[in-house]
Amino acid sequence: MQQGGGLEMIVILAVFGLIFYFMIYRPQAKRQKQQRDLLSNLAKGDEVLTNGGLIGRITKVSAENENIVIALNDTTEVVISRNYVVAVLPKGQMKALS
């Protein structure tokens, strides 16, 4: 039997902890921060992609609740939760897709 294996075990656990931090926790925290920033910077006129695959232009942003109104085309508007916005598209993207 080997004596003094406790220190080696601590070093191995520390290495696995660092791998976990840099490979899993840190990238996930970075993505969450980017999503929070994206949602807080939504403004009228932004073209957005929703979690359900809808692409529309924001026509109204409500400050008191978490809902926004997006226009899918000239006649159709949808009220969605701000949390369902996945990405802000470049200006003119809706015209290019239709």
Side-chain angles (χ1 to χ4, degrees):
M1 291 282 169
Q2 184 180 11
Q3 298 289 333
L7 182 62
E8 292 173 359
M9 184 62 107
I10 292 173
V11 170
I12 290 172
L13 287 175
V15 168
F16 279 124
L18 287 172
I19 289 171
F20 176 79
Y21 175 76
F22 284 107
M23 298 292 286
I24 298 172
Y25 178 75
R26 189 169 178 240
Q28 181 64 26
K30 189 175 180 181
R31 277 191 296 270
Q32 287 175 345
K33 183 179 183 297
Q34 288 173 341
Q35 183 68 13
R36 274 193 312 271
D37 292 343
L38 177 120
L39 294 179
S40 66
N41 293 330
L42 290 177
K44 183 178 177 180
D46 286 346
E47 295 179 5
V48 295
L49 173 65
T50 67
N51 196 15
L54 298 175
I55 296 176
R57 181 174 291 114
I58 297 176
T59 58
K60 182 180 177 187
V61 178
S62 180
E64 60 272 358
N65 59 21
E66 293 295 314
N67 295 333
I68 60 173
V69 178
I70 62 171
L72 302 177
N73 56 30
D74 294 336
T75 59
T76 309
E77 288 187 342
V78 179
V79 179
I80 64 167
S81 175
R82 177 186 300 248
N83 295 328
Y84 287 102
V85 173
V86 176
V88 175
L89 303 173
K91 297 286 184 193
Q93 187 72 26
M94 285 180 61
K95 295 282 187 195
L97 292 174
S98 54

